[in-house]
């Protein structure tokens, strides 16, 4: 028996990086999957590789899009057990050069997207008798950093919203937790940091390397499964020791 047998798991930003690694791992553990992303080509190709997976194009900042996606997911699988709120963007700039456009784009995807996902998933999980919502924050949601006010602000918001939702949804058996990765070797990090910068981050991390997408997916698997049945409103750090000292 695999740990996600019978569970229906909805993943945002599933076309690449951490979301794609989670999709593969969850599928290997018996999950039925609703994969969503803006990138239809890569997302649909991944869904086609996996045993019981559907792909839906979803911009997480689109309220009506969430309703349509949830309807389509329930029409296909009839229930929802897990939501991995993973989609996000990372743009860095000094405070003085952070435009309202960049700030609001980050808020809409990283914060509003997570809020909409939790709001739209909760009724289906309540109907299923419980569930697990997993929100991707970051170590950027645990401490401050330079040139990072938009991204870090949204990741602190995800951490806070996770706790509010955990309290509201606990009576329905719905658990809500946040994951806080350090540097993860995905296209997101490569787009914002050159190889030298990524090397410096790895060297400054006690475990001496960046995380793989699989490292973070493994933590998401724990939170998706019943192995984490007594954890809610909590912060799960996956940072190679970056925040220890
Ligand atoms: N990579 C890191 O170092 C790192 C560290 C801490 C936290 N995180 C968080 O982990 C999550 C996944 O990051 P990743 O490294 O896999 O990123 P990534 O850029 O490799 O993948 C992100 C995916 O999200 C999708 N996406 C972007 N905007 C979207 C939108 N509006 N609607 C739907 N999908 C959208 C992209 O198409 C892409 O497939 C993010 O929330 C990120 O902030 C990443």
């Amino acid at each position: 028996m695999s740990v996600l047998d019978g569970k229906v798991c909805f993943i945002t930003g599933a076309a690449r990086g951490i979301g794609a690694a989670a999709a593969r791992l969850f599928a290997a553990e018996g999950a039925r999957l609703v994969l969503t992303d803006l990138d239809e080509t890569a997302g649909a190709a991944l869904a086609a590789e996996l045993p019981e997976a559907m792909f839906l194009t979803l911009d997480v900042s689109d309220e009506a899009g969430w309703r349509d996606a949830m309807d389509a997911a329930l029409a296909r699988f009839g229930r929802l057990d897990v939501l991995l709120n993973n989609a996000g963007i990372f743009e860095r700039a000094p405070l003085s050069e952070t435009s309202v456009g960049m700030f609001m784009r980050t808020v809409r995807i990283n914060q509003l997207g997570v809020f909409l996902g939790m709001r739209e998933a909760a009724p289906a999980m309540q109907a299923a008798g419980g569930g697990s919502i997993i929100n991707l924050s970051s170590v950027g949601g645990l401490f401050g950093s330079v040139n990072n006010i938009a991204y870090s602000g949204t990741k602190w918001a995800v951490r806070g919203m996770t706790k509010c939702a955990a309290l509201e949804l606990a009576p329905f058996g719905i658990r809500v937790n946040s994951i806080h990765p350090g540097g993860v070797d995905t296209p997101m990090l490569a787009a914002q940091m050159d190889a030298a910068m990524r090397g410096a981050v790895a060297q400054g991390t006690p475990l001496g390397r960046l995380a793989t997408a699989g490292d973070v997916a493994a933590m998401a698997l724990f939170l998706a499964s019943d192995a984490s049945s007594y954890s809610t409103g909590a912060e799960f750090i996956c940072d190679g020791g970056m925040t220890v000292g």
Side-chain angles (χ1 to χ4, degrees):
M1 170 115 179
S2 302
V3 298
L4 296 184
D5 268 349
K7 290 196 194 289
V8 177
C9 304
F10 189 116
I11 303 177
T12 68
R16 70 182 195 195
I18 294 166
R24 290 200 165 88
L25 186 59
F26 286 18
E29 290 294 342
R32 293 178 285 168
L33 291 171
V34 184
L35 306 184
T36 67
D37 204 288
L38 286 177
D39 182 345
E40 187 176 353
T41 307
L46 178 58
E49 270 178 42
L50 302 175
E52 275 199 276
M54 69 188 294
F55 175 77
L56 301 167
T57 304
L58 171 65
D59 176 344
V60 292
S61 67
D62 175 2
E63 183 175 18
W66 267 105
R67 297 241 164 84
D68 293 345
M70 209 47 78
D71 287 348
L74 293 173
R76 166 84 186 261
F77 292 121
R79 60 183 289 133
L80 180 66
D81 302 285
V82 174
L83 169 64
L84 180 58
N85 260 327
N86 165 77
I89 59 168
F90 177 39
E91 294 178 61
R92 303 172 75 239
L95 174 60
S96 59
E97 293 168 28
T98 298
S99 67
V100 170
M102 189 267 243
F103 187 86
M104 291 310 297
R105 181 163 62 247
T106 308
V107 167
R108 287 186 62 77
I109 296 171
N110 293 7
Q111 182 177 353
L112 178 66
V114 167
F115 155 73
L116 289 172
M118 293 196 290
R119 195 187 70 184
E120 297 306 316
M125 289 185 179
Q126 190 176 337
S132 173
I133 297 175
I134 307 154
N135 295 328
L136 258 294
S137 177
S138 165
V139 290
L142 297 172
F143 55 62
S145 53
V146 293
N147 298 340
N148 209 14
I149 192 151
Y151 180 81
S152 185
T154 61
K155 293 303 185 179
W156 277 80
V158 168
R159 178 185 174 197
M161 293 194 303
T162 296
K163 295 181 192 312
C164 296
L167 291 173
E168 280 196 41
L169 298 178
F172 308 111
I174 302 171
R175 301 180 294 106
V176 191
N177 293 288
S178 54
I179 296 182
H180 300 260
V184 190
D185 191 9
T186 67
M188 171 180 279
L189 202 67
Q192 285 295 320
M193 295 186 187
D194 61 20
M197 271 178 89
R198 296 200 303 280
V201 172
Q203 276 199 331
T205 299
L207 286 182
R209 64 171 178 87
L210 296 175
T212 64
D215 290 325
V216 184
M219 186 165 271
L221 173 65
F222 169 70
L223 291 171
S225 77
D226 295 339
S228 58
S229 59
Y230 203 55
S231 295
T232 196
E235 293 149 19
F236 287 79
I237 298 174
C238 184
D239 70 348
M242 187 188 272
T243 50
V244 172

